[in-house]
Amino acid sequence: MTHATTPATATTAGTIDAPGATLHYQVHGDGPVLLIGQSGEGDADRTVDLVPRLADTYTVVTYDRRGLSRSRLHDPSRGATLAEHADDAARVLAAVTTGPAAMLGCSLGAVIGLHLAVRHPGLIHTLIAHEPVAPRLLSAAERAHHERELADLQGLYARSGLAATLPEIARVLGIDTSGRDAEPDLTPQPIDDLRRANFDYFIRHDFTAVLDDTLDIGALTATPTRILPAVGRTTPEGVFDRRCAYALAEVLGAEVVELPGGHNGNTSHPSAYAARLRDLLGPRGQGRQG
């Protein structure tokens, strides 16, 4: 494990050796630990506007999932299961804290959080699961339909590339790409070479991880982690990821909480999103219904 501190940003960066990979993580701020499991092809910096709005209250931990950005794979051609991604998240937490932490999981990050709650009981005390991409939560017919959608997206990417695939991903997940409702003065996140490489790994490998998921839905009711299913306020009703959040709530006998913005509200509405997270977690990060 290595560490390097950047005083100008009050951010500590480190690396962790894991089976088949070297993981990059960042620690921001001070207070109760809050791990962010990023959505999609997001690396540790995807929540660049959200993190500063939380770091005065929490120790915010972000990381690059294996296969993305600075989290290097020993075999770049190999994907990872969602269980392996959850084990990576456990390693990151073990590097920064000895006590249970809170977690915000967005989209794929939410599914990783569900695995983390089952595979590592007690490591996270609260999981805010924002629109988990978890077909196994749905009825057999719905599951089959949405798994076909993901497989079709992989096929489209293989045939026609990223430019043709991104609008279809947005359609399937109900993502508003117009930016009309976004908060002002956001940090630009253009589709550059790094993001193209991350999208390539995400679509080719992490979609497959979702399709091959082994999440034990019944075990979610026995985990000590308090799980708060969440949806974006403007995510269209009926889309895949929103349906998964409601299905998760039904499994748990829980209420669904709303977060500002849509599927990517953590990046489009960072100020309002941070305020809502404080409402849900409280200043001690212990989690309360809201």
Side-chain angles (χ1 to χ4, degrees), residues 79-252:
T81 66
L82 287 166
E84 288 174 318
H85 280 311
D87 291 345
D88 286 345
R91 291 183 183 95
V92 170
L93 283 175
V96 300
T97 184
T98 58
M103 180 175 180
L104 165 67
C106 300
S107 192
L108 186 67
V111 191
I112 293 170
L114 295 175
H115 277 272
L116 186 61
V118 171
R119 291 175 64 83
H120 301 274
L123 196 58
I124 50 173
H125 58 73
T126 303
L127 168 65
I128 299 174
H130 184 177
E131 298 182 3
V133 179
R136 289 178 67 86
L137 289 165
L138 303 172
S139 68
E142 275 193 290
R143 174 182 174 181
H145 172 72
H146 293 303
E147 286 179 344
R148 282 196 301 272
E149 285 185 317
L150 293 176
D152 287 346
L153 288 170
Q154 284 185 312
L156 176 62
Y157 177 68
R159 293 190 309 272
S160 304
L162 187 61
T165 308
L166 284 179
E168 285 302 295
I169 292 176
R171 180 187 63 80
V172 168
L173 296 179
I175 298 171
D176 178 9
T177 58
S178 70
R180 288 189 297 267
D181 185 46
E183 292 177 357
D185 302 321
L186 299 178
T187 301
Q189 297 195 37
I191 304 294
D192 55 16
D193 287 344
L194 178 61
R195 292 193 70 193
R196 289 188 189 93
N198 286 347
F199 268 117
D200 180 74
Y201 186 87
F202 171 55
I203 295 169
R204 289 193 300 113
H205 294 298
D206 285 336
F207 275 34
T208 298
V210 172
L211 293 172
D212 295 340
D213 194 8
T214 59
L215 180 64
D216 184 347
I217 303 300
L220 293 172
T221 62
T223 175
T225 300
R226 185 179 188 191
I227 301 173
L228 303 180
V231 296
R233 186 167 294 126
T234 61
T235 302
E237 291 187 12
V239 296
F240 166 38
D241 40 310
R242 187 181 178 101
R243 285 285 304 119
C244 288
Y246 277 92
L248 175 62
E250 186 174 346
V251 168
L252 299 173

Side-chain angles (χ1 to χ4, degrees), residues 34-36 50-51 53-54 58 60 102-106 128-130 228 230 257-260 266 270-283 285-288:
L34 171 61
L35 174 69
I36 298 180
L50 176 65
V51 167
R53 292 164 168 83
L54 294 168
Y58 309 104
V60 184
M103 180 175 180
L104 165 67
C106 300
I128 299 174
H130 184 177
L228 303 180
V257 299
E258 278 195 348
L259 297 173
N266 57 326
S271 293
Y273 203 98
R276 183 62 171 137
L277 291 180
R278 284 195 181 87
D279 288 343
L280 294 171
L281 294 172
Q286 293 302 309
R288 59 179 184 241

